[in-house]
Amino acid sequence: MAVNEGDEVVLSMVDVLEENEELENEASAVLGGSDPEKCSYPKGYVKRQALYACSTCTPKDEDPAGICLACSYKCHEGHDLYELYTKRNFRCDCGNSKFKGFECKLYSGKDTLNTNNKYNQNFVGLYCTCKRPYPDPEDEISDEMIQCIVCEDWFHGRHLGAISTESVELQEMICVSCTNRTPFLWAYAAQLAAPSVTVVSPIEADVDMSMEETEGKKGVKEETENKAPEPSAEETPTCKSEGQQPSTSTASDQKPVVNGETACKRKLDEAETETCKLEKLKAKAFVQKNTAIYLPYNWRSKLCTCQWCKKTYAESEVPFLLDESDTVLAYEKRGQSSQESDTESRDPLMAALSGMDRVQQLEMIYEYNDLKTELKDYLKRFADEGKVVTSEDIQDFFEQLRSRKRRRVDNNHHYST
């Protein structure tokens, strides 16, 4: 519990312990799924990993580049880095041609460029439609930053056109620009999206598609975008009816044909229509807005997986939506699980003891257990009573500890003589 002492806000030890635990859990979630020792380049385009951009090596006026967690520690220590959180399908750039002679210390022989990597404004330290840094020294408004699961840019909640009425930590957000280029997702949003409140802010003028444009194209969208995707002639699957061979007649000859390949095509179309989840959702009334969408984490399992919808995902460059392990939540759970396993198998005390002789080990164990027990008991009294721990209290604790240690040493010396 925070306590006001004059103009200064003082935190109780309970607050400090809870805050430290929360920060440790967040760090474990984000970094636990990435290797801090080995460059991730040999793994290829990693499905999801923690990334950084080095403004020291690749300034804003040069080509953007991203580096893995290990390279941020080993190759770019002391450099100015932008923390990018996590990105999907990315291969570490450290030491390639974008770094102009700077070599990766962890892995040599990298390709000149990673052509499948995708970059956005985050790699030069800018975020949101307002294109501002984070944290922004000029922004006096306290606002949560939320990552879009499609473009993976970060946005201020007030610049998304709508604010979720539920915890965004349990949701996936698709920004305004991405909903405009994947309008078919509105059919799912109408049934699955979390409740939200529409907001109006000056930044809407900077959004890729304005409210005026949306209204002007509304009729067209309802007539075209809300229809099931039509495959091209080249991509239309063919089949053989029982006892018949595929037709080899011309297009004009096929118009009146009701059997053979044409009949099979019609049957396939009808079968797909009957099983397409998206087509069924589009039959229901829904409104396409110019706002972000907030969806629960299990929404991906509801997506249609028919061949026409898969084609649409590929054309819209969002095939990853069908992969539930692509989510940030899934990545964080893997990181936390890995961190817990590492903690259990690699105790810091045992690591320190392994380099000592028997006598030193016994002394270290005694001192460690003594300090751990006494500090825990000492701080527990403050936590139980909701009191704050001052610097004088900490100094007093260690002075008492040193005093007891001196008495033990003096007693041992006395007995030995």
Side-chain angles (χ1 to χ4, degrees), residues 3-286:
V3 179
N4 284 312
E5 293 188 354
D7 296 331
E8 184 178 1
V9 177
V10 183
L11 297 177
S12 70
M13 181 52 66
V14 174
D15 295 319
V16 174
L17 293 175
E18 289 180 348
E19 182 178 356
N20 285 342
E21 183 178 2
E22 182 178 351
L23 291 174
E24 288 178 2
N25 290 337
E26 289 180 0
S28 297
V30 177
L31 305 180
S34 300
D35 193 331
E37 300 293 334
K38 299 178 181 178
C39 177
S40 65
Y41 181 88
K43 298 179 180 179
Y45 292 89
V46 180
K47 178 177 289 188
R48 183 169 294 281
Q49 65 176 314
L51 288 179
Y52 299 80
C54 181
S55 64
T56 302
C57 297
T58 54
K60 289 184 178 181
D61 57 346
E62 298 184 7
D63 289 339
I67 59 176
C68 68
L69 177 63
C71 287
S72 74
Y73 291 156
K74 309 294 184 180
C75 305
H76 300 267
E77 182 181 4
H79 293 190
D80 293 328
L81 301 178
Y82 299 124
E83 185 176 357
L84 305 179
Y85 196 57
T86 70
K87 302 288 185 185
R88 70 168 59 87
N89 300 331
F90 198 94
R91 197 174 197 180
C92 180
D93 285 323
C94 180
N96 67 16
S97 61
K98 293 187 175 186
F99 288 79
K100 298 181 179 178
F102 180 90
E103 296 184 359
C104 177
K105 300 177 182 178
L106 300 179
Y107 193 88
S108 59
K110 295 183 177 181
D111 290 343
T112 303
L113 292 173
N114 296 312
T115 55
N116 291 339
N117 281 354
K118 292 185 177 181
Y119 309 88
N120 60 19
Q121 62 177 352
N122 298 169
F123 288 81
V124 292
L126 300 178
Y127 307 86
C128 190
T129 53
C130 60
K131 303 185 183 300
R132 296 292 302 170
Y134 181 83
D136 186 352
E138 298 180 8
D139 188 0
E140 299 179 354
I141 301 176
S142 178
D143 196 357
E144 185 176 12
M145 297 290 285
I146 309 171
Q147 188 179 35
C148 173
I149 65 167
V150 177
C151 66
E152 297 193 298
D153 197 354
W154 289 82
F155 298 84
H156 296 99
R158 65 185 186 273
H159 294 161
L160 288 169
I163 299 176
S164 175
T165 59
E166 299 179 0
S167 174
V168 294
E169 294 180 356
L170 303 177
Q171 300 169 21
E172 291 194 307
M173 184 275 291
I174 304 177
C175 72
V176 179
S177 177
C178 290
T179 58
N180 284 333
R181 71 180 184 86
T182 55
F184 58 89
L185 291 179
W186 278 104
Y188 292 100
Q191 305 298 321
L192 305 173
S196 61
V197 177
T198 302
V199 296
V200 178
S201 71
I203 202 63
E204 288 184 22
D206 295 329
V207 177
D208 290 354
M209 182 178 288
S210 66
M211 293 291 286
E212 290 77 15
E213 286 180 294
T214 304
E215 291 299 323
K217 298 178 181 179
K218 184 175 181 181
V220 177
K221 288 180 182 293
E222 291 178 347
E223 294 178 6
T224 59
E225 294 173 341
N226 292 343
K227 290 183 179 180
E230 293 292 340
S232 62
E234 292 80 3
E235 296 167 326
T236 300
T238 60
C239 70
K240 297 181 181 180
S241 297
E242 292 186 9
Q244 294 177 328
Q245 295 296 324
S247 172
T248 57
S249 58
T250 63
S252 59
D253 293 335
Q254 287 182 0
K255 288 182 180 179
V257 176
V258 293
N259 53 20
E261 183 176 321
T262 304
C264 287
K265 177 182 179 301
R266 184 168 61 253
K267 289 178 181 179
L268 285 171
D269 289 343
E270 292 172 354
E272 287 294 339
T273 300
E274 291 176 0
T275 59
C276 179
K277 295 179 182 179
L278 178 60
E279 194 66 25
K280 293 179 180 179
L281 290 175
K282 285 181 176 180
K284 303 177 182 179
F286 67 90

